[in-house]
Amino acid sequence: MNLRKAAMLGALGLVIAAPAAAADGPDLQPAPQATIVAGAEACLGSTIDPSGQTARFAGWTAATPDQKKGVNVDSDGIVVHRDNVMIAFKTGTDGGCVVMATAATDFDPATFYPQISTVVGARVQPAETPTPITLPDGEIFIPVISPKTSSAAPKIILVFANSASKFAKKGN
Amino acid sequence: MIALLAFGLAAGSAGATPSTYPAAAVVDAFKGLCGNPASIDAIRAAARDNGWAEFIPAPSSDLGKILANGKAMASQIAPKDAKMQLSAFVAFRKTVAGRDIEATTDAATIAASGKTITATGCQIYDFTARAMPDDGALTAWAGRAPDKKIDTGQISMSSWDNGLARPISKLTIAYTPATSPLADPARMVMLGLSIKSQQFTVTQ
């Protein structure tokens, strides 16, 4: 993955695309849309609700070092995966949660955006430029979805951060 | 291991299968305590109105271990994140349809950048439940089917996010068997039946 998401993720202080080796982030195989949406559901509340962490990430598995290639996480950050979807998260005011996936052929923007909107409790729609969306739980959500082309599947990064974080304050 | 086996025997003698489990009565008790988790004070008032007794669980009890885990998490977060506070680990109990139901509250607050974000949680447990009960009573109260259902063997869970016709931001019912890593006595976070409501609020 390219674009400014490396900077965006770096700004979160959570996940930073490893230099050189992973300008494109982790090497992810195609993932079903349902799991990508489930990843967003797991992330929601990560920064504000550490006590709910166990329930949120039930069904997700700790990533192996090999799976984490291309992702650097703070020492107290956690990386999990399921069905080729990877999530890195860290609780707390300046924590965050990032869902990373390459969409499989079942990806359909006509259903994906409504599904994500339902999960996060705010309207999410396609945008030329990644736009922060304030969520009802006080988090901010930034979807970064590259368009599908004839030669490439859509790359999806869903970023959750706390709206009270120092990074969000800078952004505002 | 011995403790696990001992617990397993105790749970086996007191358990109820899904078909005999008094799910409706337990959900009613949950609604009475956790129906509006606006604040710890609100939950305490609901407890008084609905026959729940506040108590201090023994450290060696299942609820005592869960509370200790929550407090340990709070003490870990405090030095790293001065803006976030985890607090209000209060315990309640009530006998419902002959079963000992216990409950905890928790509250996470972030105060920074001119706003305060609060997540208040209220959770009841039936530690001796032997299976995931039918979630129909909770579904009826939520007003719609769960947004997510999972069954991994380590945990069975139904959850609802956002848009509930209740003052609740998130609602979860889960069953965790005693053999699950989540029920490891050394760092227990869930065991048996648990139902949790949470309310997230943001004030400027």
Side-chain angles (χ1 to χ4, degrees):
Chain A
M1 303 195 174
N2 45 45
L3 83 134
R4 48 246 138 176
K5 51 192 159 341
M8 183 185 304
L9 298 179
L12 270 177
L14 171 67
V15 179
I16 307 164
D24 280 346
D27 185 17
L28 295 168
Q29 298 300 306
Q33 180 172 316
T35 309
I36 299 170
V37 173
E41 189 170 15
C43 270
L44 184 70
S46 286
T47 67
I48 182 64
D49 175 33
S51 70
Q53 183 171 301
T54 303
R56 271 198 313 275
F57 289 99
W60 294 80
T61 308
T64 64
D66 206 41
Q67 289 169 325
K68 288 194 279 189
K69 277 182 184 169
V71 179
N72 280 345
V73 188
D74 284 0
S75 59
D76 50 352
I78 297 171
V79 182
V80 297
H81 79 101
R82 192 173 101 197
D83 298 342
N84 297 324
V85 175
M86 186 172 289
I87 298 177
F89 68 96
K90 176 181 154 183
T91 195
T93 313
D94 294 326
C97 189
V98 182
V99 180
M100 293 165 276
T102 298
T105 52
D106 71 339
F107 180 76
D108 179 4
T111 57
F112 179 75
Y113 285 98
Q115 288 169 358
I116 288 290
S117 298
T118 300
V119 164
V120 301
R123 189 176 180 193
V124 182
Q125 36 189 351
E128 288 285 321
T129 308
T131 306
I133 299 165
T134 301
L135 304 183
D137 71 351
E139 296 184 303
I140 56 173
F141 175 60
I142 310 167
V144 184
I145 299 163
S146 66
K148 181 181 179 181
T149 68
S150 57
S151 60
K155 307 274 188 178
I156 296 174
I157 294 185
L158 309 175
V159 180
F160 293 77
N162 197 285
S163 62
S165 74
K166 59 189 176 188
F167 308 112
K169 191 176 182 183
K170 280 179 191 169
N172 292 337
Chain B
M1 177 60 78
I2 290 171
L4 265 180
L5 288 172
F7 176 76
L9 288 172
S13 63
T17 61
S19 59
T20 61
Y21 192 82
V26 172
V27 168
D28 275 347
F30 166 78
K31 287 154 39 178
L33 182 69
C34 302
N36 184 4
S39 67
I40 302 305
D41 286 344
I43 295 168
R44 274 199 164 108
R48 284 194 296 272
D49 292 345
N50 291 282
W52 289 84
E54 189 169 335
F55 77 114
I56 298 175
S60 59
S61 68
D62 295 320
L63 193 66
K65 291 170 188 167
I66 288 174
L67 281 173
N69 183 67
K71 290 175 182 173
M73 185 185 293
S75 65
Q76 288 168 7
I77 287 175
K80 296 178 189 169
D81 189 346
K83 300 167 194 160
M84 183 174 202
Q85 286 193 328
L86 281 177
S87 59
F89 301 105
V90 182
F92 302 94
R93 63 187 167 194
K94 182 179 184 180
T95 301
V96 179
R99 304 189 69 82
D100 295 327
I101 307 298
E102 298 180 333
T104 61
T105 64
D106 60 80
T109 301
I110 287 178
S113 302
K115 66 180 74 174
T116 301
I117 303 169
T118 303
T120 307
C122 180
Q123 184 160 13
I124 71 164
Y125 296 91
D126 182 345
F127 293 114
T128 60
R130 300 290 288 153
M132 178 76 158
D134 183 88
D135 63 15
L138 204 58
T139 296
W141 187 60
R144 67 166 195 254
D147 298 316
K148 180 171 75 172
K149 290 186 91 155
I150 64 166
D151 185 358
T152 67
Q154 295 182 358
I155 186 172
S156 303
M157 185 172 71
S158 300
S159 62
W160 293 258
D161 281 304
N162 294 310
L164 290 167
R166 304 282 172 193
I168 290 173
S169 307
K170 188 174 182 71
L171 180 63
T172 306
I173 180 171
Y175 171 71
T176 309
T179 52
S180 169
L182 302 175
D184 177 349
R187 46 190 173 84
M188 185 192 294
V189 290
M190 299 178 91
L191 173 65
L193 170 68
S194 57
I195 310 176
K196 183 170 188 176
S197 63
Q198 288 176 286
Q199 193 176 108
F200 301 141
T201 56
V202 184
T203 52
Q204 297 289 339

